Amino acid sequence: MKQLNPIMISGKEVYPLFEGGKGINASDGRSCGAWAHENCVGTFSGVSPDFYDENGNVVIEKYLKKDRRERHMEMIEQAIKGGIAQAQIAHEIADGNGRIHMNMLWELGGSEQILNGVLEKAKGLIHGITCGAGLPYRLGEIASHFGVYYYPIVSSARAFQVLWKRAYANFKEFLGGVVYEDPWLAGGHNGLSNAEDPNQPQSPYQRLVDLRATLNKLGLNELPIIMAGGVWALDDWDDYIDNPEIGKIAFQFGTRPMITQESPVCDAWKNLMLTLKKGDVILQKFSPTGFFSSAIKNTFLEKLIARKNGEIAFSEVQNEEFSHPLKISAAKTYYIKAEDVEKAQKQQNAGFTEIKETPDNTVVFLTPEEWKQMKLDRANCVGCLSQCQFSTWSQANGTTGRIPDPRSYCIHKTLYDISHGGSIKDNLLFAGHQVYRFATDPLYRNGIPSVKELLDKIKIGK
């Protein structure tokens, strides 16, 4: 492998190795500080991070308000407390080494308020902000106000160009780099556009070359690109290092750091990842954000897949095509195609007797228990997204104006639950598509390594 040399990141020369910031609580101050301590870039998640009581115990989120907008404000207040707490932990562990970054999702409800609140009260503790999940056009303005470097996460050269023209050209000083997150390889939410086929992955090489060409045209020749998504070992990326077509590059590791001693991921999740095979992570579009995301196929996803496969189109008016009645409730009957009658009857006979409309003139079938839980989850919505397809929450207007989508789920509930010891079968488990490599990686044969042990291997390409 070519020699890996330190580069300037967020105002300091460090190894060009980033910890991917995974929320909720899949990367925190402990893991972040450990990465920074090794003169790399640690990243903690700013999405519902933990905060602690006077005895050092995690304070589990509580929502006391009845009004959804008031619960939304409670969520923001708790996220700010957690962001400050995790920044302090990372700062202490880093002991002056490396860089400490916070990861934020732009489509998170209250993202701007959370960013401002944490950066205001944790001055000097955070050196950079990475931000994706949407187009974070105000990121440059907010980060620059606090003298903190910013790193937008994009999946194409075009996305960065849009951000540059709209906002970043006015905030060049603190633009620290651009994270290219490969939409076919990354875990969690990713940025596949409507023009891209989720089943036809493209090589990241040409997309990085295109991004570098765009940066060069804008006079950003020395700005580093951070390659993210599918990064496991640097040996795999040797052709990308010191490559004039790509220019200055760093690498972000998302999935591999999830199994370290400092990782906050629960033991059951870690143990599961050690057993996975190629293909056990799937790219799907059930997220209430509307984005594609990659996660481990488990009972949670299998139920969503089965519900989607059982989906049936309907018409409110009987006609030649939609000829057969389907009773939705005592007061409502729709009409379905003749070829879908057996499909509907099989689901109802199997106990899926609650028939619910989607925003797309289709219906899906749920058990009474699933419908009861879905209603409860919607009632408990805390406004965790700027817009939510599951609960119809909208930060701007209170509601999206559409009917809630029963093909989705409460993302805050499931991610918070799994990050605090919940079931690995019945919760969403984000992971990248390289996760199967844990099973054959020699580093994990004799137990779980520390962050230092992992980075010692990464630095030599392994």
mmCIF file of all heavy atoms in Angstrom, residues 157-200:
data_model
loop_
_atom_site.group_PDB
_atom_site.id
_atom_site.type_symbol
_atom_site.label_atom_id
_atom_site.label_comp_id
_atom_site.label_asym_id
_atom_site.label_seq_id
_atom_site.Cartn_x
_atom_site.Cartn_y
_atom_site.Cartn_z
ATOM 1 N N ALA A 157 -21.227 14.789 -7.710
ATOM 2 C CA ALA A 157 -20.656 16.107 -7.967
ATOM 3 C C ALA A 157 -21.763 17.148 -8.131
ATOM 4 O O ALA A 157 -21.631 18.299 -7.703
ATOM 5 C CB ALA A 157 -19.782 16.053 -9.219
ATOM 6 N N ARG A 158 -22.861 16.727 -8.742
ATOM 7 C CA ARG A 158 -23.970 17.643 -8.976
ATOM 8 C C ARG A 158 -24.537 18.168 -7.659
ATOM 9 O O ARG A 158 -24.862 19.358 -7.536
ATOM 10 C CB ARG A 158 -25.060 16.944 -9.781
ATOM 11 C CG ARG A 158 -26.254 17.814 -10.101
ATOM 12 C CD ARG A 158 -27.275 17.054 -10.933
ATOM 13 N NE ARG A 158 -28.492 17.834 -11.101
ATOM 14 C CZ ARG A 158 -29.496 17.884 -10.219
ATOM 15 N NH1 ARG A 158 -29.409 17.160 -9.112
ATOM 16 N NH2 ARG A 158 -30.561 18.620 -10.435
ATOM 17 N N ALA A 159 -24.672 17.290 -6.666
ATOM 18 C CA ALA A 159 -25.219 17.715 -5.377
ATOM 19 C C ALA A 159 -24.330 18.774 -4.741
ATOM 20 O O ALA A 159 -24.828 19.774 -4.189
ATOM 21 C CB ALA A 159 -25.360 16.512 -4.445
ATOM 22 N N PHE A 160 -23.001 18.594 -4.820
ATOM 23 C CA PHE A 160 -22.125 19.603 -4.234
ATOM 24 C C PHE A 160 -22.227 20.920 -4.987
ATOM 25 O O PHE A 160 -22.218 21.996 -4.377
ATOM 26 C CB PHE A 160 -20.666 19.144 -4.210
ATOM 27 C CG PHE A 160 -19.764 20.199 -3.644
ATOM 28 C CD1 PHE A 160 -19.713 20.427 -2.277
ATOM 29 C CD2 PHE A 160 -19.019 21.030 -4.474
ATOM 30 C CE1 PHE A 160 -18.938 21.443 -1.744
ATOM 31 C CE2 PHE A 160 -18.228 22.044 -3.952
ATOM 32 C CZ PHE A 160 -18.187 22.240 -2.579
ATOM 33 N N GLN A 161 -22.325 20.841 -6.300
ATOM 34 C CA GLN A 161 -22.408 22.070 -7.093
ATOM 35 C C GLN A 161 -23.650 22.878 -6.723
ATOM 36 O O GLN A 161 -23.605 24.118 -6.654
ATOM 37 C CB GLN A 161 -22.426 21.720 -8.579
ATOM 38 C CG GLN A 161 -22.045 22.879 -9.484
ATOM 39 C CD GLN A 161 -21.565 22.404 -10.835
ATOM 40 O OE1 GLN A 161 -21.919 21.324 -11.286
ATOM 41 N NE2 GLN A 161 -20.759 23.214 -11.499
ATOM 42 N N VAL A 162 -24.759 22.191 -6.471
ATOM 43 C CA VAL A 162 -25.981 22.863 -6.042
ATOM 44 C C VAL A 162 -25.752 23.594 -4.720
ATOM 45 O O VAL A 162 -26.128 24.758 -4.559
ATOM 46 C CB VAL A 162 -27.136 21.847 -5.910
ATOM 47 C CG1 VAL A 162 -28.341 22.475 -5.218
ATOM 48 C CG2 VAL A 162 -27.537 21.315 -7.280
ATOM 49 N N LEU A 163 -25.102 22.899 -3.778
ATOM 50 C CA LEU A 163 -24.826 23.510 -2.476
ATOM 51 C C LEU A 163 -23.878 24.700 -2.607
ATOM 52 O O LEU A 163 -24.054 25.727 -1.938
ATOM 53 C CB LEU A 163 -24.224 22.461 -1.531
ATOM 54 C CG LEU A 163 -25.190 21.389 -1.018
ATOM 55 C CD1 LEU A 163 -24.423 20.234 -0.369
ATOM 56 C CD2 LEU A 163 -26.180 21.985 -0.029
ATOM 57 N N TRP A 164 -22.880 24.556 -3.448
ATOM 58 C CA TRP A 164 -21.898 25.626 -3.635
ATOM 59 C C TRP A 164 -22.567 26.894 -4.173
ATOM 60 O O TRP A 164 -22.368 27.987 -3.640
ATOM 61 C CB TRP A 164 -20.799 25.155 -4.582
ATOM 62 C CG TRP A 164 -19.783 26.218 -4.889
ATOM 63 C CD1 TRP A 164 -19.736 27.017 -5.995
ATOM 64 C CD2 TRP A 164 -18.672 26.614 -4.067
ATOM 65 N NE1 TRP A 164 -18.671 27.883 -5.925
ATOM 66 C CE2 TRP A 164 -18.010 27.657 -4.751
ATOM 67 C CE3 TRP A 164 -18.195 26.192 -2.837
ATOM 68 C CZ2 TRP A 164 -16.878 28.274 -4.227
ATOM 69 C CZ3 TRP A 164 -17.061 26.809 -2.308
ATOM 70 C CH2 TRP A 164 -16.414 27.833 -3.005
ATOM 71 N N LYS A 165 -23.358 26.728 -5.206
ATOM 72 C CA LYS A 165 -23.995 27.890 -5.834
ATOM 73 C C LYS A 165 -25.017 28.528 -4.891
ATOM 74 O O LYS A 165 -25.153 29.754 -4.847
ATOM 75 C CB LYS A 165 -24.675 27.471 -7.128
ATOM 76 C CG LYS A 165 -23.704 27.165 -8.264
ATOM 77 C CD LYS A 165 -24.443 26.783 -9.533
ATOM 78 C CE LYS A 165 -23.479 26.521 -10.676
ATOM 79 N NZ LYS A 165 -24.199 26.122 -11.915
ATOM 80 N N ARG A 166 -25.714 27.683 -4.158
ATOM 81 C CA ARG A 166 -26.770 28.209 -3.297
ATOM 82 C C ARG A 166 -26.231 28.887 -2.051
ATOM 83 O O ARG A 166 -26.807 29.872 -1.577
ATOM 84 C CB ARG A 166 -27.723 27.082 -2.890
ATOM 85 C CG ARG A 166 -28.904 27.553 -2.068
ATOM 86 C CD ARG A 166 -29.941 26.471 -1.890
ATOM 87 N NE ARG A 166 -31.053 26.942 -1.075
ATOM 88 C CZ ARG A 166 -32.116 26.222 -0.778
ATOM 89 N NH1 ARG A 166 -32.230 24.998 -1.252
ATOM 90 N NH2 ARG A 166 -33.076 26.706 -0.018
ATOM 91 N N ALA A 167 -25.095 28.372 -1.508
ATOM 92 C CA ALA A 167 -24.676 28.886 -0.203
ATOM 93 C C ALA A 167 -23.177 28.867 0.049
ATOM 94 O O ALA A 167 -22.616 29.834 0.565
ATOM 95 C CB ALA A 167 -25.380 28.097 0.897
ATOM 96 N N TYR A 168 -22.488 27.781 -0.286
ATOM 97 C CA TYR A 168 -21.139 27.588 0.225
ATOM 98 C C TYR A 168 -20.114 28.547 -0.356
ATOM 99 O O TYR A 168 -19.071 28.805 0.268
ATOM 100 C CB TYR A 168 -20.668 26.149 -0.002
ATOM 101 C CG TYR A 168 -21.438 25.113 0.789
ATOM 102 C CD1 TYR A 168 -21.238 23.757 0.569
ATOM 103 C CD2 TYR A 168 -22.375 25.472 1.750
ATOM 104 C CE1 TYR A 168 -21.942 22.793 1.277
ATOM 105 C CE2 TYR A 168 -23.082 24.524 2.463
ATOM 106 C CZ TYR A 168 -22.868 23.189 2.220
ATOM 107 O OH TYR A 168 -23.561 22.247 2.922
ATOM 108 N N ALA A 169 -20.371 29.087 -1.537
ATOM 109 C CA ALA A 169 -19.433 30.041 -2.135
ATOM 110 C C ALA A 169 -19.206 31.244 -1.232
ATOM 111 O O ALA A 169 -18.154 31.890 -1.284
ATOM 112 C CB ALA A 169 -19.946 30.491 -3.501
ATOM 113 N N ASN A 170 -20.188 31.536 -0.382
ATOM 114 C CA ASN A 170 -20.074 32.675 0.545
ATOM 115 C C ASN A 170 -19.414 32.304 1.870
ATOM 116 O O ASN A 170 -19.210 33.177 2.714
ATOM 117 C CB ASN A 170 -21.469 33.242 0.825
ATOM 118 C CG ASN A 170 -22.141 33.782 -0.425
ATOM 119 O OD1 ASN A 170 -21.484 34.398 -1.259
ATOM 120 N ND2 ASN A 170 -23.432 33.530 -0.564
ATOM 121 N N PHE A 171 -19.094 31.012 2.046
ATOM 122 C CA PHE A 171 -18.525 30.562 3.321
ATOM 123 C C PHE A 171 -17.365 29.597 3.065
ATOM 124 O O PHE A 171 -17.312 28.497 3.597
ATOM 125 C CB PHE A 171 -19.617 29.894 4.175
ATOM 126 C CG PHE A 171 -20.769 30.802 4.494
ATOM 127 C CD1 PHE A 171 -21.938 30.735 3.739
ATOM 128 C CD2 PHE A 171 -20.676 31.748 5.501
ATOM 129 C CE1 PHE A 171 -23.006 31.580 4.013
ATOM 130 C CE2 PHE A 171 -21.739 32.597 5.776
ATOM 131 C CZ PHE A 171 -22.909 32.521 5.030
ATOM 132 N N LYS A 172 -16.412 30.067 2.235
ATOM 133 C CA LYS A 172 -15.310 29.202 1.792
ATOM 134 C C LYS A 172 -14.297 28.927 2.891
ATOM 135 O O LYS A 172 -13.681 27.865 2.927
ATOM 136 C CB LYS A 172 -14.592 29.831 0.597
ATOM 137 C CG LYS A 172 -15.411 29.870 -0.674
ATOM 138 C CD LYS A 172 -14.599 30.381 -1.852
ATOM 139 C CE LYS A 172 -14.419 31.884 -1.780
ATOM 140 N NZ LYS A 172 -13.794 32.415 -3.012
ATOM 141 N N GLU A 173 -14.110 29.869 3.797
ATOM 142 C CA GLU A 173 -13.007 29.779 4.762
ATOM 143 C C GLU A 173 -13.067 28.510 5.604
ATOM 144 O O GLU A 173 -12.033 27.885 5.873
ATOM 145 C CB GLU A 173 -13.009 31.004 5.683
ATOM 146 C CG GLU A 173 -11.860 30.990 6.694
ATOM 147 C CD GLU A 173 -11.915 32.155 7.660
ATOM 148 O OE1 GLU A 173 -12.831 33.009 7.538
ATOM 149 O OE2 GLU A 173 -11.033 32.221 8.548
ATOM 150 N N PHE A 174 -14.262 28.130 6.018
ATOM 151 C CA PHE A 174 -14.376 26.981 6.925
ATOM 152 C C PHE A 174 -14.900 25.714 6.241
ATOM 153 O O PHE A 174 -15.279 24.761 6.924
ATOM 154 C CB PHE A 174 -15.252 27.357 8.123
ATOM 155 C CG PHE A 174 -14.543 28.267 9.099
ATOM 156 C CD1 PHE A 174 -14.755 29.642 9.053
ATOM 157 C CD2 PHE A 174 -13.634 27.756 10.018
ATOM 158 C CE1 PHE A 174 -14.086 30.486 9.926
ATOM 159 C CE2 PHE A 174 -12.960 28.592 10.896
ATOM 160 C CZ PHE A 174 -13.188 29.962 10.847
ATOM 161 N N LEU A 175 -14.906 25.710 4.916
ATOM 162 C CA LEU A 175 -15.223 24.479 4.191
ATOM 163 C C LEU A 175 -14.009 23.561 4.295
ATOM 164 O O LEU A 175 -12.985 23.786 3.670
ATOM 165 C CB LEU A 175 -15.561 24.786 2.738
ATOM 166 C CG LEU A 175 -15.856 23.575 1.838
ATOM 167 C CD1 LEU A 175 -17.028 22.755 2.372
ATOM 168 C CD2 LEU A 175 -16.129 24.035 0.403
ATOM 169 N N GLY A 176 -14.119 22.512 5.126
ATOM 170 C CA GLY A 176 -12.958 21.678 5.425
ATOM 171 C C GLY A 176 -12.730 20.550 4.444
ATOM 172 O O GLY A 176 -11.613 20.045 4.301
ATOM 173 N N GLY A 177 -13.779 20.115 3.775
ATOM 174 C CA GLY A 177 -13.682 18.997 2.848
ATOM 175 C C GLY A 177 -15.076 18.596 2.410
ATOM 176 O O GLY A 177 -16.083 19.138 2.885
ATOM 177 N N VAL A 178 -15.136 17.653 1.495
ATOM 178 C CA VAL A 178 -16.413 17.131 1.015
ATOM 179 C C VAL A 178 -16.415 15.623 1.222
ATOM 180 O O VAL A 178 -15.493 14.930 0.777
ATOM 181 C CB VAL A 178 -16.645 17.454 -0.473
ATOM 182 C CG1 VAL A 178 -17.989 16.892 -0.935
ATOM 183 C CG2 VAL A 178 -16.575 18.950 -0.732
ATOM 184 N N VAL A 179 -17.427 15.124 1.899
ATOM 185 C CA VAL A 179 -17.558 13.683 2.102
ATOM 186 C C VAL A 179 -18.365 13.121 0.932
ATOM 187 O O VAL A 179 -19.530 13.498 0.737
ATOM 188 C CB VAL A 179 -18.273 13.363 3.434
ATOM 189 C CG1 VAL A 179 -18.400 11.847 3.616
ATOM 190 C CG2 VAL A 179 -17.521 13.985 4.607
ATOM 191 N N TYR A 180 -17.730 12.239 0.150
ATOM 192 C CA TYR A 180 -18.481 11.512 -0.877
ATOM 193 C C TYR A 180 -18.920 10.190 -0.263
ATOM 194 O O TYR A 180 -18.089 9.345 0.072
ATOM 195 C CB TYR A 180 -17.643 11.233 -2.133
ATOM 196 C CG TYR A 180 -18.343 10.223 -3.025
ATOM 197 C CD1 TYR A 180 -19.435 10.599 -3.792
ATOM 198 C CD2 TYR A 180 -17.971 8.883 -3.018
ATOM 199 C CE1 TYR A 180 -20.120 9.665 -4.557
ATOM 200 C CE2 TYR A 180 -18.658 7.943 -3.781
ATOM 201 C CZ TYR A 180 -19.726 8.347 -4.545
ATOM 202 O OH TYR A 180 -20.415 7.413 -5.285
ATOM 203 N N GLU A 181 -20.224 10.018 -0.091
ATOM 204 C CA GLU A 181 -20.757 8.790 0.494
ATOM 205 C C GLU A 181 -21.408 7.967 -0.615
ATOM 206 O O GLU A 181 -22.422 8.384 -1.186
ATOM 207 C CB GLU A 181 -21.776 9.108 1.590
ATOM 208 C CG GLU A 181 -22.259 7.868 2.329
ATOM 209 C CD GLU A 181 -23.143 8.235 3.506
ATOM 210 O OE1 GLU A 181 -24.299 8.640 3.276
ATOM 211 O OE2 GLU A 181 -22.667 8.132 4.649
ATOM 212 N N ASP A 182 -20.816 6.826 -0.912
ATOM 213 C CA ASP A 182 -21.307 6.022 -2.018
ATOM 214 C C ASP A 182 -22.701 5.481 -1.700
ATOM 215 O O ASP A 182 -22.888 4.774 -0.704
ATOM 216 C CB ASP A 182 -20.358 4.860 -2.294
ATOM 217 C CG ASP A 182 -20.740 4.137 -3.566
ATOM 218 O OD1 ASP A 182 -20.277 4.552 -4.635
ATOM 219 O OD2 ASP A 182 -21.517 3.163 -3.488
ATOM 220 N N PRO A 183 -23.699 5.792 -2.529
ATOM 221 C CA PRO A 183 -25.073 5.422 -2.181
ATOM 222 C C PRO A 183 -25.370 3.933 -2.278
ATOM 223 O O PRO A 183 -26.372 3.472 -1.720
ATOM 224 C CB PRO A 183 -25.912 6.212 -3.192
ATOM 225 C CG PRO A 183 -25.002 6.460 -4.341
ATOM 226 C CD PRO A 183 -23.633 6.594 -3.756
ATOM 227 N N TRP A 184 -24.511 3.171 -2.975
ATOM 228 C CA TRP A 184 -24.746 1.735 -3.094
ATOM 229 C C TRP A 184 -23.995 0.917 -2.036
ATOM 230 O O TRP A 184 -24.278 -0.249 -1.848
ATOM 231 C CB TRP A 184 -24.339 1.242 -4.479
ATOM 232 C CG TRP A 184 -25.249 1.739 -5.567
ATOM 233 C CD1 TRP A 184 -26.448 1.208 -5.943
ATOM 234 C CD2 TRP A 184 -25.036 2.871 -6.407
ATOM 235 N NE1 TRP A 184 -26.994 1.943 -6.974
ATOM 236 C CE2 TRP A 184 -26.147 2.968 -7.279
ATOM 237 C CE3 TRP A 184 -24.018 3.817 -6.519
ATOM 238 C CZ2 TRP A 184 -26.261 3.972 -8.241
ATOM 239 C CZ3 TRP A 184 -24.132 4.814 -7.473
ATOM 240 C CH2 TRP A 184 -25.245 4.878 -8.321
ATOM 241 N N LEU A 185 -23.034 1.536 -1.371
ATOM 242 C CA LEU A 185 -22.184 0.796 -0.439
ATOM 243 C C LEU A 185 -22.372 1.200 1.020
ATOM 244 O O LEU A 185 -22.091 0.419 1.926
ATOM 245 C CB LEU A 185 -20.701 0.977 -0.818
ATOM 246 C CG LEU A 185 -20.264 0.394 -2.166
ATOM 247 C CD1 LEU A 185 -18.836 0.819 -2.482
ATOM 248 C CD2 LEU A 185 -20.375 -1.120 -2.154
ATOM 249 N N ALA A 186 -22.832 2.419 1.243
ATOM 250 C CA ALA A 186 -22.893 2.944 2.607
ATOM 251 C C ALA A 186 -24.026 2.309 3.402
ATOM 252 O O ALA A 186 -25.040 1.881 2.851
ATOM 253 C CB ALA A 186 -23.070 4.460 2.578
ATOM 254 N N GLY A 187 -23.862 2.272 4.710
ATOM 255 C CA GLY A 187 -24.932 1.869 5.602
ATOM 256 C C GLY A 187 -25.794 3.060 5.957
ATOM 257 O O GLY A 187 -25.426 4.217 5.735
ATOM 258 N N GLY A 188 -26.952 2.786 6.530
ATOM 259 C CA GLY A 188 -27.846 3.870 6.913
ATOM 260 C C GLY A 188 -28.456 4.551 5.703
ATOM 261 O O GLY A 188 -28.512 4.001 4.607
ATOM 262 N N HIS A 189 -28.918 5.788 5.882
ATOM 263 C CA HIS A 189 -29.528 6.529 4.785
ATOM 264 C C HIS A 189 -28.479 6.929 3.763
ATOM 265 O O HIS A 189 -27.338 7.216 4.105
ATOM 266 C CB HIS A 189 -30.231 7.780 5.325
ATOM 267 C CG HIS A 189 -31.437 7.476 6.148
ATOM 268 N ND1 HIS A 189 -31.463 7.661 7.512
ATOM 269 C CD2 HIS A 189 -32.647 6.987 5.808
ATOM 270 C CE1 HIS A 189 -32.650 7.297 7.972
ATOM 271 N NE2 HIS A 189 -33.390 6.882 6.968
ATOM 272 N N ASN A 190 -28.875 6.943 2.515
ATOM 273 C CA ASN A 190 -27.941 7.340 1.466
ATOM 274 C C ASN A 190 -28.659 8.152 0.394
ATOM 275 O O ASN A 190 -29.885 8.237 0.382
ATOM 276 C CB ASN A 190 -27.247 6.111 0.867
ATOM 277 C CG ASN A 190 -28.221 5.003 0.553
ATOM 278 O OD1 ASN A 190 -29.145 5.194 -0.214
ATOM 279 N ND2 ASN A 190 -28.029 3.842 1.190
ATOM 280 N N GLY A 191 -27.847 8.722 -0.493
ATOM 281 C CA GLY A 191 -28.367 9.746 -1.398
ATOM 282 C C GLY A 191 -28.613 9.299 -2.816
ATOM 283 O O GLY A 191 -28.241 10.012 -3.754
ATOM 284 N N LEU A 192 -29.238 8.159 -3.011
ATOM 285 C CA LEU A 192 -29.607 7.768 -4.368
ATOM 286 C C LEU A 192 -30.626 8.760 -4.925
ATOM 287 O O LEU A 192 -31.631 9.060 -4.281
ATOM 288 C CB LEU A 192 -30.224 6.371 -4.380
ATOM 289 C CG LEU A 192 -29.276 5.182 -4.534
ATOM 290 C CD1 LEU A 192 -30.047 3.891 -4.368
ATOM 291 C CD2 LEU A 192 -28.580 5.198 -5.889
ATOM 292 N N SER A 193 -30.359 9.243 -6.128
ATOM 293 C CA SER A 193 -31.315 10.150 -6.763
ATOM 294 C C SER A 193 -32.352 9.352 -7.535
ATOM 295 O O SER A 193 -32.193 8.152 -7.765
ATOM 296 C CB SER A 193 -30.580 11.107 -7.705
ATOM 297 O OG SER A 193 -30.140 10.409 -8.867
ATOM 298 N N ASN A 194 -33.397 10.038 -7.972
ATOM 299 C CA ASN A 194 -34.443 9.365 -8.745
ATOM 300 C C ASN A 194 -33.939 8.874 -10.091
ATOM 301 O O ASN A 194 -34.543 7.996 -10.705
ATOM 302 C CB ASN A 194 -35.631 10.319 -8.953
ATOM 303 C CG ASN A 194 -36.350 10.625 -7.660
ATOM 304 O OD1 ASN A 194 -36.366 9.808 -6.743
ATOM 305 N ND2 ASN A 194 -36.933 11.809 -7.557
ATOM 306 N N ALA A 195 -32.818 9.454 -10.544
ATOM 307 C CA ALA A 195 -32.271 9.062 -11.848
ATOM 308 C C ALA A 195 -31.365 7.840 -11.754
ATOM 309 O O ALA A 195 -30.933 7.324 -12.790
ATOM 310 C CB ALA A 195 -31.497 10.234 -12.453
ATOM 311 N N GLU A 196 -31.074 7.378 -10.534
ATOM 312 C CA GLU A 196 -30.132 6.272 -10.346
ATOM 313 C C GLU A 196 -30.863 5.008 -9.940
ATOM 314 O O GLU A 196 -31.810 5.053 -9.149
ATOM 315 C CB GLU A 196 -29.082 6.655 -9.285
ATOM 316 C CG GLU A 196 -28.168 7.771 -9.772
ATOM 317 C CD GLU A 196 -27.388 8.430 -8.651
ATOM 318 O OE1 GLU A 196 -27.898 8.496 -7.514
ATOM 319 O OE2 GLU A 196 -26.276 8.921 -8.923
ATOM 320 N N ASP A 197 -30.410 3.896 -10.500
ATOM 321 C CA ASP A 197 -31.034 2.604 -10.261
ATOM 322 C C ASP A 197 -30.420 1.960 -9.025
ATOM 323 O O ASP A 197 -29.209 1.695 -9.001
ATOM 324 C CB ASP A 197 -30.836 1.694 -11.478
ATOM 325 C CG ASP A 197 -31.613 0.388 -11.381
ATOM 326 O OD1 ASP A 197 -32.007 -0.001 -10.258
ATOM 327 O OD2 ASP A 197 -31.808 -0.253 -12.427
ATOM 328 N N PRO A 198 -31.221 1.677 -7.983
ATOM 329 C CA PRO A 198 -30.661 1.058 -6.780
ATOM 330 C C PRO A 198 -30.063 -0.324 -7.045
ATOM 331 O O PRO A 198 -29.216 -0.790 -6.275
ATOM 332 C CB PRO A 198 -31.855 0.959 -5.832
ATOM 333 C CG PRO A 198 -33.058 1.060 -6.701
ATOM 334 C CD PRO A 198 -32.666 1.924 -7.854
ATOM 335 N N ASN A 199 -30.470 -0.960 -8.131
ATOM 336 C CA ASN A 199 -29.973 -2.302 -8.460
ATOM 337 C C ASN A 199 -28.817 -2.291 -9.450
ATOM 338 O O ASN A 199 -28.347 -3.351 -9.858
ATOM 339 C CB ASN A 199 -31.127 -3.146 -9.026
ATOM 340 C CG ASN A 199 -32.258 -3.307 -8.025
ATOM 341 O OD1 ASN A 199 -32.020 -3.637 -6.868
ATOM 342 N ND2 ASN A 199 -33.481 -3.046 -8.467
ATOM 343 N N GLN A 200 -28.366 -1.109 -9.834
ATOM 344 C CA GLN A 200 -27.255 -0.990 -10.784
ATOM 345 C C GLN A 200 -26.164 -0.107 -10.186
ATOM 346 O O GLN A 200 -26.032 1.067 -10.538
ATOM 347 C CB GLN A 200 -27.754 -0.409 -12.119
ATOM 348 C CG GLN A 200 -28.744 -1.284 -12.865
ATOM 349 C CD GLN A 200 -28.097 -2.567 -13.372
ATOM 350 O OE1 GLN A 200 -26.926 -2.584 -13.766
ATOM 351 N NE2 GLN A 200 -28.847 -3.662 -13.335
#
